[in-house]
Amino acid sequence: QVQLVESGGGLVQAGGSLRLSCAASGTIFRFNGMGWYRQAPGKQRELVAGITLGGNTNYPDSVKGRFTISRDNAENTVYLQMNSLKPEDTAVYYCNRLGGAPFPWGQGTQVTVSS
């Protein structure tokens, strides 16, 4: 059974940094690219960072240069380093596979950026 557990969120001032972690059970990392997604109140969930099995990364323009995704396959963990945070980054952050039907979503981790 696949389980995704996100952690590392919190309250930070604009310009600050946070590092999110996502631990996964099962063999999810062995066969899937992974992504970090976020959902702000009243908005659709959006992809903010993706990393393929080969380690290639991609980001939307809104976070490019500020967010960095990485993965540790030995630890079944994917990370999201977020720098220069802005109030518009406030959202619940989730991890899941990159592309294809998502696995059951975890509880996410709340990131709140104050101005």
Side-chain angles (χ1 to χ4, degrees):
Q1 183 178 357
V2 172
Q3 187 175 12
L4 298 162
V5 180
E6 302 90 350
S7 62
L11 173 64
V12 63
Q13 288 188 334
S17 299
L18 285 173
R19 188 191 193 210
L20 308 184
S21 298
C22 170
S25 62
T27 59
I28 181 173
F29 285 106
R30 185 177 298 176
F31 301 112
N32 291 281
M34 294 297 296
W36 278 97
Y37 303 78
R38 69 184 180 190
Q39 187 167 22
K43 294 187 177 181
Q44 289 189 333
R45 190 172 288 162
E46 61 174 345
L47 177 69
V48 295
I51 185 166
T52 67
L53 280 170
N56 293 319
T57 59
N58 65 85
Y59 308 90
D61 289 343
S62 58
V63 306
K64 194 173 294 183
R66 301 188 298 120
F67 289 9
T68 303
I69 188 172
S70 60
R71 61 190 294 160
D72 184 336
N73 292 336
E75 297 295 327
N76 282 358
T77 302
V78 62
Y79 302 98
L80 185 67
Q81 178 67 44
M82 305 186 297
N83 299 327
S84 302
L85 283 162
K86 304 176 180 180
E88 51 264 43
D89 295 319
T90 296
V92 180
Y93 284 71
Y94 304 86
C95 67
N96 215 306
R97 70 194 301 181
L98 184 64
F103 292 110
W105 294 93
Q107 84 288 348
T109 187
Q110 175 71 48
V111 172
T112 303
V113 185
S114 63
S115 57

